[in-house]
Amino acid sequence: MCVARVLTALPPLQALGSLCSPWAAPRVGPLPPAPAMVRISKPKTFQAYLDDCHRRYSCAHCRAHLANHDDLISKSFQGSQGRAYLFNSVVNVGCGPAEERVLLTGLHAVADIHCENCKTTLGWKYEQAFESSQKYKEGKYIIELNHMIKDNGWD
């Protein structure tokens, strides 16, 4: 199972100059100043990056990493906007307050989850199940298919 690695520092901009093309000569010295019309912006950074060694799911809106395929429990769930997947664990998501909702499988206490990068609501986290047959869902996450994409290693 891959472990999420946390971003600690970005490489300096000069080091990135030689990575743009495998045929480019290594850059020596500082980068030339950008033309006045071009605005250099800071690259997006996520709270956690999942290892490249496994298939993963990412946010369909901003490509933030969400979950490894190894953490997928079930593909047979229904979200509010269509099909959804149940995961053991996810990264780069925030939780809202828990509230009781009557879902297809009964009464549950759930908290909406959103992408920490783009703030899109992705699904929910099961905080508590009130029926004994549904207890396996507690602490698990639902992400709706229309909010995630398959990323890295899918052939």
Side-chain angles (χ1 to χ4, degrees), residues 57-68:
Y57 298 92
S58 297
C59 176
H61 311 283
C62 70
R63 301 291 294 257
H65 296 174
L66 296 176
N68 276 322

Side-chain angles (χ1 to χ4, degrees), residues 13 18 20 35 67 84 90 123 144:
L13 221 46
S18 62
C20 293
V90 295
E144 297 181 348

Side-chain angles (χ1 to χ4, degrees), residues 17 19 21 23 37-38 41 48 84 99 108 114 119 130 140 154:
L19 296 176
S21 169
W23 301 281
M37 296 180 352
V38 176
S41 62
E99 59 184 39
H108 295 81
H114 62 272
K119 306 302 181 202
F130 296 103
K140 307 295 190 285
W154 299 89

Side-chain angles (χ1 to χ4, degrees), residues 2-74:
C2 286
V3 178
R5 54 189 163 101
V6 177
L7 179 68
T8 56
L10 293 173
L13 221 46
Q14 289 84 357
L16 291 176
S18 62
L19 296 176
C20 293
S21 169
W23 301 281
R27 182 173 295 282
V28 178
L31 291 172
M37 296 180 352
V38 176
R39 173 178 246 144
I40 297 176
S41 62
K42 187 176 170 184
K44 290 182 182 178
T45 56
F46 309 131
Q47 289 181 352
Y49 287 85
L50 299 175
D51 285 336
D52 291 335
C53 64
H54 283 63
R55 296 178 291 175
R56 66 178 172 249
Y57 298 92
S58 297
C59 176
H61 311 283
C62 70
R63 301 291 294 257
H65 296 174
L66 296 176
N68 276 322
H69 184 65
D70 294 344
D71 288 318
L72 177 65
I73 298 171
S74 175

Side-chain angles (χ1 to χ4, degrees), residues 4 10 14-15 18 67 72 76 81 98 105 122 131-132 144 147 154:
L10 293 173
Q14 289 84 357
S18 62
L72 177 65
S76 59
Q81 300 174 3
T105 54
L122 303 169
E131 296 181 26
S132 59
E144 297 181 348
H147 295 299
W154 299 89

Side-chain angles (χ1 to χ4, degrees), residues 94-99 101 109-114 123-127 141:
C95 271
E99 59 184 39
R101 290 188 197 154
V110 298
D112 286 337
I113 60 171
H114 62 272
W124 62 86
K125 178 183 180 183
Y126 286 102
E127 297 289 349
Y141 300 84

